[in-house]
Amino acid sequence: MLSIILWINFAFVNPYNDPTMGPMLNTFFMLLLPACLAIFSSIKLSQLLMFIAFVWSVPMSIYLIATPGIFSLFGLTSAFYLVSFLLIRFGRHSTAIHQ
């Protein structure tokens, strides 16, 4: 959810944003869609989709980590995708062992 809020801020509120659609479409595909996929995969508890969301968001997140300001938080949200993947993966195994 944080990625979606950050993307809205990045696309529409950012005073340094280029008014053309190129950067907005690029960040839409590289940041917003993986965030939506991560939400869907957390609802379905799909470890594969969560891992895809993580791998998909990593390149743009690494780029934005190097920028000053609030948009470096995209790196944190990408790391949370990895943590969520690990929780889904190992949480499912631990509940199967205890049953």
Side-chain angles (χ1 to χ4, degrees), residues 55-74:
V55 170
W56 190 359
S57 69
V58 165
M60 184 64 79
S61 297
I62 289 173
Y63 173 75
L64 289 172
I65 285 173
T67 63
I70 193 169
F71 302 118
S72 61
L73 287 176
F74 277 113

Side-chain angles (χ1 to χ4, degrees), residues 37-58:
L37 182 63
I39 290 172
F40 178 75
S41 66
S42 67
I43 292 169
K44 295 293 184 182
L45 293 177
S46 172
Q47 59 184 336
L48 176 65
L49 292 178
M50 187 63 76
F51 187 72
I52 290 171
F54 166 69
V55 170
W56 190 359
S57 69
V58 165

Side-chain angles (χ1 to χ4, degrees), residues 1-8 11 23-42 49-58 60-61 74 77 81:
M1 193 65 153
L2 178 62
S3 288
I4 294 172
I5 294 169
L6 281 171
W7 183 82
I8 291 170
M24 186 182 300
L25 284 175
N26 190 17
T27 58
F28 174 81
F29 285 111
M30 295 300 289
L31 296 171
L32 185 67
L33 287 182
C36 294
L37 182 63
I39 290 172
F40 178 75
S41 66
S42 67
L49 292 178
M50 187 63 76
F51 187 72
I52 290 171
F54 166 69
V55 170
W56 190 359
S57 69
V58 165
M60 184 64 79
S61 297
F74 277 113
T77 60
Y81 298 158

